């Protein structure tokens, strides 16, 4: 398994991630503003069958994923410093839906994911603000997203973004603190440090998830954690080596 994460995560969190697969620490230089320069959800959009990737993602990451037989689709818009340039791939793809602000969505998403219904939200940083769970349940830190999902008769838990750390900003977002693989939710931080942590914990347990706290501290928005497993190619082994971090 390949685990894509911001290379600036707390060291304890990275060490714990290494127990589950090969960590691919991500960072970009001089592409977008530094606070999100290492956030996977700005450059990558994983789906069940392939990964959509921004065309100006540093080439060594694209080359590595290709070597691992991951199916990549190169998007149309390059990531940049403006809102419209840094949100093109920050959509959410759930079991049955694409959720994003269509005014910012890269056309490659519409062209390659045609079987899912689109839900329009105002928040362009959708993946930052929204965690998709199985059976189309969600956790969000954006009231507008919550409203739209409830209007579509979907299950959604709202939690405050306050007490979520994102260096350079007053606070971060709930989706950026987490990643999902199978029945596990990996959290960059400990829910005990969030005022609504018990509510989040109960919601995840109600939906049959195991919680993995990656370090003992406040929730940290690292731009999501993406787990890329062998569902992309049956020849790709479960993990290439244990407890390793890929050096690129």
């Amino acid at each position: 398994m390949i685990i894509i994460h911001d290379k600036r995560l707390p060291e304890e969190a990275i060490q714990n991630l290494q127990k589950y697969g090969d960590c691919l620490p991500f960072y970009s230089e001089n592409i977008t503003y530094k606070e999100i320069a290492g956030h996977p959800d700005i450059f990558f959009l994983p789906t069940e069958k392939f990964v959509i990737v921004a065309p100006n993602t540093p080439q060594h990451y694209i080359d590595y994923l290709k070597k691992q037989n991951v199916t990549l689709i190169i998007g149309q818009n390059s990531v940049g410093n403006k809102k419209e340039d840094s949100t093109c791939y920050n959509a959410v793809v759930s079991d049955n839906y694409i959720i994003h602000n269509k005014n910012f969505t890269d056309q490659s998403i519409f062209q390659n994911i045609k079987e899912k219904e689109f839900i329009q939200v105002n928040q362009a940083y959708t993946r930052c603000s929204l965690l998709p769970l199985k059976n189309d349940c969600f956790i969000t830190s954006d009231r507008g997203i919550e409203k739209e999902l409830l209007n579509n008769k979907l299950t959604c838990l709202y939690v405050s973004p306050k007490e979520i750390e994102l260096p350079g900003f007053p606070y971060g977002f709930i989706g950026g603190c987490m990643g999902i693989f199978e029945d596990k939710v990996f959290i960059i931080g400990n829910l005990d440090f969030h005022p609504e942590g018990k509510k989040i914990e109960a919601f995840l347990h109600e939906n049959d998830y195991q919680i993995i706290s990656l370090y003992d501290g406040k929730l940290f928005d690292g731009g999501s954690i993406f787990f890329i497993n062998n569902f992309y190619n049956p020849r790709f082994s479960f993990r290439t080596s244990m407890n390793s971090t890929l050096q690129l």
Side-chain angles (χ1 to χ4, degrees):
M1 186 194 307
I2 302 168
I3 306 171
I4 306 177
H5 65 82
D6 190 322
K7 77 172 187 178
R8 301 167 297 180
L9 294 188
E11 184 59 32
E12 182 184 350
I14 295 174
Q15 291 176 359
N16 281 319
L17 276 176
Q18 290 170 4
K19 300 173 183 177
Y20 296 91
D22 285 327
C23 286
L24 182 58
F26 180 77
Y27 193 73
S28 65
E29 296 279 359
N30 302 317
I31 294 178
T32 189
Y33 51 97
K34 65 179 182 179
E35 290 85 357
I36 62 170
H39 285 196
D41 58 20
I42 300 300
F43 291 83
F44 301 92
L45 177 61
T47 75
E48 299 97 330
K49 298 178 180 179
F50 50 80
V51 177
I52 298 175
V53 57
N56 62 334
T57 300
Q59 189 62 41
H60 51 278
Y61 296 109
I62 292 176
D63 291 344
Y64 175 78
L65 293 171
K66 285 182 177 179
K67 288 180 181 178
Q68 300 304 320
N69 295 317
V70 175
T71 301
L72 297 181
I73 293 174
I74 306 300
Q76 296 183 13
N77 291 295
S78 294
V79 171
N81 283 302
K82 298 179 180 179
K83 180 179 180 180
E84 58 266 29
D85 299 328
S86 59
T87 56
C88 302
Y89 306 96
N90 201 249
V92 163
V93 177
S94 71
D95 293 341
N96 296 297
Y97 300 95
I98 302 170
I99 306 167
H100 201 215
N101 184 325
K102 64 182 177 182
N103 297 317
F104 298 88
T105 311
D106 190 80
Q107 287 302 307
S108 64
I109 298 173
F110 294 120
Q111 292 168 359
N112 291 281
I113 312 174
K114 297 180 179 181
E115 72 280 9
K116 298 179 187 286
E117 181 180 344
F118 188 86
I119 296 178
Q120 167 72 9
V121 295
N122 289 329
Q123 175 60 265
Y125 288 104
T126 309
R127 180 59 182 84
C128 296
S129 306
L130 180 64
L131 182 73
L133 304 174
K134 58 191 173 184
N135 302 319
D136 284 316
C137 294
F138 302 88
I139 301 176
T140 186
S141 55
D142 184 279
R143 284 293 190 186
I145 292 177
E146 178 199 29
K147 180 180 178 180
E148 291 302 325
L149 296 184
L150 293 178
N151 285 342
N152 281 272
K153 302 187 185 306
L154 299 173
T155 301
C156 182
L157 173 70
Y158 171 83
V159 296
S160 171
K162 296 179 180 179
E163 304 302 322
I164 297 175
E165 293 188 340
L166 176 55
F169 290 92
Y171 53 82
F173 304 94
I174 195 68
C177 302
M178 301 182 182
I180 294 180
F181 178 68
E182 294 182 340
D183 63 347
K184 297 180 178 63
V185 175
F186 293 78
I187 300 177
I188 312 169
N190 190 319
L191 290 175
D192 289 342
F193 288 81
H194 193 281
E196 297 177 279
K198 294 298 182 184
K199 183 169 71 172
I200 300 170
E201 180 181 359
F203 188 76
L204 291 173
H205 286 161
E206 287 170 7
N207 285 279
D208 299 320
Y209 281 101
Q210 177 185 353
I211 297 171
I212 307 293
S213 295
L214 293 173
Y215 85 107
D216 192 31
K218 293 180 67 173
L219 301 191
F220 183 93
D221 183 348
S224 309
I225 305 168
F226 290 146
F227 294 80
I228 301 176
N229 200 14
N230 61 340
F231 50 72
Y232 293 111
N233 192 309
R235 295 176 297 156
F236 180 53
S237 61
F238 179 74
R239 56 170 61 92
T240 55
S241 61
M242 194 64 167
N243 298 335
S244 62
T245 297
L246 302 170
Q247 301 297 326
L248 299 177

